[in-house]
Amino acid sequence: MYTTDAIVISVKKNTDTTSLVHLYTRSNGHILCVVYGRKGTNRNSRRGISLNLIVPLSWLDVQLKAISNKNLFILNSATYHYIPKNIYLDVKRQCIALFISEVLYKTLIHPMADEQLYNFITRKIVELDTADSVEYIYDSFLTEFSIQLGYGGEPIEEWKTIHSTQLFV
């Protein structure tokens, strides 16, 4: 059993009380976890983790237990590493968060740890939460993410000057 910080990429309901959660961790990269969640108002009678805490693009401190002979983990506990103030209150930010988490889910398939990529994703979560304007966050995320993955792309300074000028008069 070990503790690390992780980003929730995707949550899929498995049964009434369990969910499959894809996490991107600093130490293991992309991993799959089983979460035994609790529902209802009588939470003391049920064991598990509140499923309200585990939403796409949540930055959590998690305690994981490895299941032997499988590339699967059990999520024992989770707390917020960073508590977002605006992401889940603003519909635009929620949509962008879902878009970013879907891109991460489709591209981060292999369990490879990359601390530079992890730091980039956490910076983008904080930027999405604290930015005054969120119009071009998904553009800048895709551009910088493709550079992080090694696909190249235009330099960030050039991209900022192109998108800061008005294209239509």
Side-chain angles (χ1 to χ4, degrees), residues 53-73:
L53 182 69
I54 302 172
V55 294
L57 234 56
S58 294
W59 187 5
L60 306 173
D61 288 326
V62 295
Q63 187 177 18
L64 302 168
K65 179 181 177 185
I67 298 176
S68 61
N69 298 331
K70 295 183 181 177
N71 197 11
L72 189 64
F73 294 85

Side-chain angles (χ1 to χ4, degrees), residues 65 70 123 126 130 134 137 144 167:
K65 179 181 177 185
K70 295 183 181 177
R123 265 197 330 269
V126 173
T130 60
V134 294
I137 286 184
E144 293 176 39
L167 298 177

Side-chain angles (χ1 to χ4, degrees), residues 8-87:
V8 177
I9 296 176
S10 175
V11 180
K12 308 284 185 203
K13 188 173 181 177
N14 191 26
T15 64
D16 285 341
T17 58
T18 62
S19 296
L20 296 175
V21 178
H22 294 266
L23 297 175
Y24 191 72
T25 65
R26 184 182 304 272
S27 57
N28 287 17
H30 181 257
I31 61 172
L32 180 62
C33 294
V34 177
V35 177
Y36 297 100
R38 58 184 179 216
K39 299 164 97 179
T41 57
N42 192 3
R43 293 189 288 192
N44 292 331
S45 65
R46 296 185 180 175
R47 292 185 48 203
I49 298 169
S50 175
L51 296 177
N52 297 332
L53 182 69
I54 302 172
V55 294
L57 234 56
S58 294
W59 187 5
L60 306 173
D61 288 326
V62 295
Q63 187 177 18
L64 302 168
K65 179 181 177 185
I67 298 176
S68 61
N69 298 331
K70 295 183 181 177
N71 197 11
L72 189 64
F73 294 85
I74 295 175
L75 188 64
N76 285 338
S77 69
T79 58
Y80 276 117
H81 184 82
Y82 174 79
I83 300 173
K85 296 169 186 61
N86 297 318
I87 291 177

Side-chain angles (χ1 to χ4, degrees), residues 37-167:
R38 58 184 179 216
K39 299 164 97 179
T41 57
N42 192 3
R43 293 189 288 192
N44 292 331
S45 65
R46 296 185 180 175
R47 292 185 48 203
I49 298 169
S50 175
L51 296 177
N52 297 332
L53 182 69
I54 302 172
V55 294
L57 234 56
S58 294
W59 187 5
L60 306 173
D61 288 326
V62 295
Q63 187 177 18
L64 302 168
K65 179 181 177 185
I67 298 176
S68 61
N69 298 331
K70 295 183 181 177
N71 197 11
L72 189 64
F73 294 85
I74 295 175
L75 188 64
N76 285 338
S77 69
T79 58
Y80 276 117
H81 184 82
Y82 174 79
I83 300 173
K85 296 169 186 61
N86 297 318
I87 291 177
Y88 304 114
L89 298 176
D90 186 9
V91 175
K92 287 181 185 178
R93 292 174 201 264
Q94 284 179 358
C95 293
I96 294 170
L98 288 173
F99 172 76
I100 290 173
S101 67
E102 190 67 25
V103 168
L104 293 174
Y105 176 69
K106 297 290 184 182
T107 56
L108 299 178
I109 298 169
H110 301 291
M112 293 175 45
D114 185 358
E115 189 154 345
Q116 185 177 3
L117 181 60
Y118 185 85
N119 291 335
F120 163 73
I121 295 169
T122 56
R123 265 197 330 269
K124 284 299 177 180
I125 291 172
V126 173
E127 180 182 343
L128 178 62
D129 187 44
T130 60
D132 293 332
S133 175
V134 294
E135 291 180 17
Y136 296 110
I137 286 184
Y138 61 92
D139 284 340
S140 68
F141 173 80
L142 288 176
T143 304
E144 293 176 39
F145 186 58
S146 65
I147 293 170
Q148 288 286 328
L149 294 180
Y151 294 122
E154 53 192 31
I156 301 302
E157 292 79 24
E158 183 180 330
W159 180 86
K160 287 181 181 176
T161 58
I162 290 171
H163 290 289
S164 66
T165 60
Q166 289 185 349
L167 298 177

